Amino acid sequence: MQKLYGVIGYPVGHSMSPIMHNDAFERLNLEGYYHAFEIVPDKFQTAIEGLKALDIAGFNVTIPYKVKIMEHLDEIDPLAKEIGAVNTVVNEKGRFIGYNTDGEGYVTSLLSTLNKRDLTECTVLIIGAGGAARAIYFTLATYKQPPKQIDLCNRTPAKAEELIADNPAEIGSASLSIEEAEASLAKYDIIINTTSVGMHPSTDASPLRLDYLKKGALVSDIIYNPLETKLLKEAKSRGAMIHNGIGMFVMQGALAFEKWTNQRPYIEAMEEIILKKLEHKKEE
Ligand code: ATR
């Protein structure tokens, strides 16, 4: 029998996850169907009970439910608990188990761009201190071979300080103002933007000036619309390696797919389908 999967969110109509996962089921000859379920906030609990009653095999969770879903799960993976958000749920014999594949998806994609297995020689700067920063920071900090140092800079420094205080691993970390980060940029091998600054339609904005960018540095942006934000354009013009948000989106989905089916989807095909969809969106 065909198994049911999906994503829950509000709104979720523009989600690119259904085409990506449905294509992956087809390619692997798996009987699965992935649907975007838009759930209005006051029906959240009923909807989750409904998904359980329907015996959904697994689902993704997106904005605004990544934190709220946690009260409705039977078990939560330790890293997802530390991150404080769940983006993937697996139905194991009627029990809903929560995971977070956002951070791991990001780090896997980053390592693949860097063509590295570890980040032990790297000093990292994360811009932002929201949910995405938390997932990436904690995943990097608890990685088998973590970076030497992970600093954070945020418009509101108190939020970066809170993140550092919550960090589950013993890793050197400092909170900087945006100006301090700009002035000491030459220290960092990897710079990661986790804020929405530069995202469509505000494509003229950039979260950080790159005047003192280190030679050979990599600049990464979790934004994928546009594929090249102002930050990445500037980094490229300075000769830096760049990494956009497509890889994180695809890998968080691929890792979820693997948890549900025990099969690894074709990553390149997933990426291709998302790039095509984004291209199509631009034309709309
Ligand atoms: P997400 O879950 O996507 O990370 P979030 O939790 O709302 O979203 O966090 C958004 C991050 O982007 C925060 O670090 C926020 O900075 P503040 O903590 O100062 O609010 C940052 N951010 C959003 N808009 C910004 C802007 N215009 N300039 C600078 N930082 C911005």
Side-chain angles (χ1 to χ4, degrees), residues 125-127 151-154 176-188 208-209 212:
L125 173 70
I126 296 178
I127 313 165
D151 291 346
L152 276 86
C153 68
N154 194 41
L176 286 79
S177 68
I178 300 283
E179 295 72 25
E180 284 166 341
E182 286 172 341
S184 55
L185 210 59
K187 273 196 347 209
Y188 301 100
L208 198 78
R209 290 182 51 187
Y212 300 111

Side-chain angles (χ1 to χ4, degrees), residues 106-116 119 122-127 140 185-193 208 210 213-222 231-232 234-236 238-245:
Y106 175 79
V107 176
T108 310
S109 160
L110 178 73
L111 288 170
S112 139
T113 297
L114 283 166
N115 207 4
K116 280 190 182 195
L119 298 165
C122 299
T123 300
V124 176
L125 173 70
I126 296 178
I127 313 165
L140 277 174
L185 210 59
K187 273 196 347 209
Y188 301 100
D189 305 293
I190 301 174
I191 292 136
I192 307 167
N193 175 41
L208 198 78
L210 298 180
L213 190 63
K214 183 176 179 176
K215 195 163 180 277
L218 175 135
V219 180
S220 169
D221 202 322
I222 67 163
L231 179 77
L232 294 191
E234 195 182 335
K236 202 166 146 184
R238 291 176 184 275
M241 208 189 298
I242 60 169
H243 171 247
N244 66 28

Side-chain angles (χ1 to χ4, degrees), residues 138-235:
F138 287 5
T139 307
L140 277 174
T142 55
Y143 219 64
K144 290 166 289 219
Q145 289 145 319
K148 275 196 286 207
Q149 169 97 12
I150 310 176
D151 291 346
L152 276 86
C153 68
N154 194 41
R155 178 179 60 181
T156 315
K159 275 168 77 182
E161 279 152 30
E162 267 172 47
L163 263 196
I164 292 172
D166 284 353
N167 165 26
E170 282 190 21
I171 192 158
S173 276
S175 158
L176 286 79
S177 68
I178 300 283
E179 295 72 25
E180 284 166 341
E182 286 172 341
S184 55
L185 210 59
K187 273 196 347 209
Y188 301 100
D189 305 293
I190 301 174
I191 292 136
I192 307 167
N193 175 41
T194 69
T195 76
S196 53
V197 180
M199 185 154 66
H200 179 78
S202 306
T203 51
D204 280 345
S206 179
L208 198 78
R209 290 182 51 187
L210 298 180
D211 300 333
Y212 300 111
L213 190 63
K214 183 176 179 176
K215 195 163 180 277
L218 175 135
V219 180
S220 169
D221 202 322
I222 67 163
I223 294 171
Y224 54 79
N225 187 13
L227 285 175
E228 245 180 63
T229 54
K230 187 176 181 194
L231 179 77
L232 294 191
K233 279 199 180 102
E234 195 182 335

Side-chain angles (χ1 to χ4, degrees), residues 9-214:
Y10 182 75
V12 84
H14 287 100
S15 170
M16 295 190 289
S17 294
I19 51 159
M20 181 169 86
H21 287 285
N22 284 323
D23 182 76
F25 286 130
E26 211 170 293
R27 278 174 201 274
L28 289 169
N29 261 323
L30 293 172
E31 289 211 43
Y33 173 70
Y34 187 106
H35 184 76
F37 295 98
E38 186 154 292
I39 301 176
V40 290
D42 68 340
K43 293 281 189 320
F44 188 74
Q45 179 158 351
T46 323
I48 300 303
E49 284 163 7
L51 291 175
K52 211 170 214 182
L54 292 170
D55 201 29
I56 190 166
F59 59 97
N60 287 127
V61 186
T62 189
I63 291 164
Y65 298 131
K66 288 188 186 188
V67 177
K68 192 177 167 77
I69 187 67
M70 297 175 83
E71 313 156 19
H72 302 268
L73 300 174
D74 299 294
E75 200 180 315
I76 301 173
D77 168 73
L79 179 60
K81 226 182 251 179
E82 295 282 8
I83 292 170
V86 159
N87 79 323
T88 300
V89 175
V90 180
N91 183 350
E92 272 185 29
K93 299 190 178 113
R95 297 181 76 241
F96 278 181
I97 323 272
Y99 298 88
N100 190 308
T101 66
D102 285 330
E104 198 187 337
Y106 175 79
V107 176
T108 310
S109 160
L110 178 73
L111 288 170
S112 139
T113 297
L114 283 166
N115 207 4
K116 280 190 182 195
R117 278 165 188 241
D118 66 73
L119 298 165
T120 46
E121 297 305 309
C122 299
T123 300
V124 176
L125 173 70
I126 296 178
I127 313 165
R134 198 173 168 97
I136 291 172
Y137 177 43
F138 287 5
T139 307
L140 277 174
T142 55
Y143 219 64
K144 290 166 289 219
Q145 289 145 319
K148 275 196 286 207
Q149 169 97 12
I150 310 176
D151 291 346
L152 276 86
C153 68
N154 194 41
R155 178 179 60 181
T156 315
K159 275 168 77 182
E161 279 152 30
E162 267 172 47
L163 263 196
I164 292 172
D166 284 353
N167 165 26
E170 282 190 21
I171 192 158
S173 276
S175 158
L176 286 79
S177 68
I178 300 283
E179 295 72 25
E180 284 166 341
E182 286 172 341
S184 55
L185 210 59
K187 273 196 347 209
Y188 301 100
D189 305 293
I190 301 174
I191 292 136
I192 307 167
N193 175 41
T194 69
T195 76
S196 53
V197 180
M199 185 154 66
H200 179 78
S202 306
T203 51
D204 280 345
S206 179
L208 198 78
R209 290 182 51 187
L210 298 180
D211 300 333
Y212 300 111
L213 190 63
K214 183 176 179 176

